[in-house]
Amino acid sequence: MRVRRRVFAGSVLGLLVMGCAPDHLRNRPSGDAPAGTPQPSGSASPSPTATPDPVVTIIPNVSSGSTDVSVDHRLKITVEQGKLTGVNVAGKGRTNKGAETNVTVDGDLTEGEWQASTRLQPATAYTIEATGIGTDGRTKTNTLTFSTVNLSLKEQIFPSIYPESGTVGVAMPVMIKFDLPVADRASFARHLKVTTTPVQEGAWVWLSDTEVHWRPKDFFQAGTKVKVEADLQSVPAGGGKFGQLSRTVEFAVGKAQQTEVNLATKQLVQKVNGQVVRTVPISAGKPGFITRSGTKVVSEKLPQTRMASETIGISNNDPTNGYDLQVKWAIRITDSGEFLHAAPWNMAKFGKENSSHGCIGMSDADAQALFGIIQVGDPVVVTGSDRPLEPQNGITDWNVSWDKWKSWA
């Protein structure tokens, strides 16, 4: 009982003391000491509770701040104790002409990793932002920067694709030329693709270190749609060089047309979809300038062009074989200078005698009519001479059998 009284009395005393406290202390929260009141010995000031980092760990395969990352390095980001929710890779670089350009790197994202689907570009500063959510439910975003090596023009290989667009004849192969030799052809070949609609069998063949062609087994079917993909950006070409400028082109194939020239009978036959539409008397190359036999392909059409003997090593003023003429309706079929064209000065020889310097001449009217029908990419099949068409003297792909072409692929 005494104990209880002491406790009660003490409680009352406490209330009385609080009731007599000065006004400036009456509203102080319970437990606070007046300003200047000494703290008990050994007590510490309270501190806020530290928040631990999210447990998710984001791991890129490139170091932040790197300045010499190879352009063929394939970016990859993995994650531990969580999953990736987003990755963005963007950069600023310059074109081969020096203009600033914005670039991005595409990729495929799963919960466990992000894998780049496009390659890097030279002399480009990149920023990676990767976000993940941990097993603890909290989100983390990592940001890092890096840059790629600066390649000189001698270390970069640029492609030119022909045809680029439009409608061509059934004998036109896909042709890609490079401004520098490609040492690792297999590396480049893996990144070249041709899609035809309807589907037609075909194959790539390297004609040299700077040129590769794709042709179907037979002439294209009329009306075919062709898509060419050269995904060569930053693909290793061997010898410290890399491909640049990935490109995609599309073109169409027109009517099935073929021109047949018989040098022995001195006749030209034009066929459309297998039907003869025109037969024309011609005069071709005379002895010493025999027109070549073989399957040629129309590569150029010129309504008018200058032809001069000096281009084949004969003076324009040579009394026997010199010439300098403006020629109409010229259709190129070899790189060495064979054309189908109007040759009115040779009118008396058409159908009777071969008397040209290698071209296939005909009347103005016949040349104009042929010029209006024929397409770049049409085949011109020449027979009747014992002089064969040299490989790569123009588009000569069709002078090789399909079995041999495939063996070269």
Side-chain angles (χ1 to χ4, degrees):
M1 295 298 290
R2 290 179 181 175
V3 172
R4 289 178 181 172
R5 287 194 183 98
R6 288 193 182 106
V7 171
F8 182 76
S11 297
V12 172
L13 179 61
L15 290 172
L16 291 175
V17 170
M18 289 298 293
C20 297
D23 289 343
H24 70 278
L25 295 179
R26 288 180 180 176
N27 294 326
R28 184 179 301 278
S30 176
D32 284 2
T37 302
Q39 294 292 328
S41 176
S43 65
S45 300
S47 61
T49 302
T51 303
D53 289 334
V55 298
V56 63
T57 302
I58 300 170
I59 308 168
N61 68 345
V62 63
S63 299
S64 185
S66 298
T67 58
D68 58 353
V69 176
S70 178
V71 292
D72 64 337
H73 181 76
R74 190 59 67 97
L75 289 178
K76 184 177 180 179
I77 299 173
T78 55
V79 65
E80 293 179 355
Q81 291 188 275
K83 63 182 181 180
L84 285 173
T85 56
V87 173
N88 181 66
V89 183
K92 287 188 178 294
R94 293 194 177 276
T95 67
N96 59 330
K97 295 183 179 180
E100 187 173 86
T101 180
N102 295 321
V103 297
T104 58
V105 178
D106 298 327
D108 300 312
L109 176 66
T110 65
E111 290 188 357
E113 70 174 37
W114 177 89
Q115 175 78 54
S117 58
T118 55
R119 290 172 292 279
L120 304 173
Q121 296 192 23
T124 300
Y126 287 95
T127 299
I128 298 177
E129 290 185 352
T131 301
I133 185 169
T135 53
D136 57 357
R138 289 185 297 160
T139 298
K140 177 192 288 186
T141 297
N142 280 5
T143 301
L144 66 87
T145 60
F146 69 94
S147 58
T148 51
V149 295
N150 184 20
L151 299 177
S152 70
L153 286 178
K154 292 182 179 180
E155 296 171 313
Q156 301 178 71
I157 298 179
F158 292 87
S160 298
I161 303 176
Y162 190 81
E164 290 188 308
S165 61
T167 301
V168 297
V170 296
M172 178 60 74
V174 174
M175 300 180 288
I176 303 180
K177 296 184 179 182
F178 304 99
D179 63 338
L180 294 173
V182 177
D184 191 344
R185 297 180 181 183
S187 174
F188 265 35
R190 286 191 294 270
H191 294 85
L192 302 177
K193 181 180 179 182
V194 174
T195 305
T196 61
T197 307
V199 174
Q200 288 148 78
E201 182 182 3
W204 290 102
V205 164
W206 288 85
L207 304 186
S208 71
D209 288 342
T210 58
E211 186 168 357
V212 63
H213 287 198
W214 186 97
R215 56 156 274 201
K217 178 180 179 181
D218 302 304
F219 292 154
F220 281 111
Q221 297 176 33
T224 297
K225 306 297 183 185
V226 183
K227 180 179 181 181
V228 184
E229 298 170 88
D231 180 24
L232 298 174
Q233 177 71 49
S234 299
V235 171
K241 299 180 177 66
F242 296 87
Q244 294 300 316
L245 194 64
S246 290
R247 297 189 61 199
T248 298
V249 304
E250 298 183 36
F251 62 91
V253 177
K255 295 178 181 179
Q257 301 186 155
Q258 180 167 304
T259 302
E260 298 172 358
V261 179
N262 188 320
L263 302 174
T265 64
K266 304 163 190 67
Q267 298 290 314
L268 177 152
V269 174
Q270 177 72 22
K271 294 180 179 179
V272 178
N273 296 324
Q275 301 298 312
V276 175
V277 298
R278 184 175 298 273
T279 300
V280 173
I282 58 93
S283 180
K286 62 187 178 181
F289 300 91
I290 297 295
T291 303
R292 299 161 178 85
S293 288
T295 299
K296 307 167 187 181
V297 179
V298 175
S299 60
E300 186 178 23
K301 293 173 63 179
L302 302 167
Q304 182 169 304
T305 188
R306 178 181 175 231
M307 293 187 179
S309 59
E310 64 185 7
T311 62
I312 58 172
I314 300 172
S315 170
N316 293 351
N317 298 318
D318 184 278
T320 304
N321 290 306
Y323 59 89
D324 189 349
L325 302 166
Q326 289 295 322
V327 177
K328 297 176 68 175
W329 316 120
I331 301 165
R332 181 185 287 276
I333 53 176
T334 72
D335 287 349
S336 62
E338 288 185 4
F339 285 79
L340 307 169
H341 65 76
W345 56 86
N346 227 9
M347 183 72 71
K349 305 294 179 66
F350 298 152
K352 300 175 183 178
E353 183 182 348
N354 290 323
S355 60
S356 79
H357 291 85
C359 288
I360 299 166
M362 65 202 77
S363 70
D364 272 338
D366 286 336
Q368 184 175 8
L370 181 64
F371 190 92
I373 294 173
I374 207 164
Q375 306 166 119
V376 170
D378 278 356
V380 177
V381 181
V382 181
T383 59
S385 80
D386 58 3
R387 184 184 184 187
L389 177 64
E390 304 89 347
Q392 299 183 59
N393 183 4
I395 301 170
T396 61
D397 302 24
W398 302 102
N399 294 280
V400 179
S401 71
W402 176 242
D403 287 342
K404 178 175 268 190
W405 185 268
K406 284 198 303 181
S407 73
W408 292 347

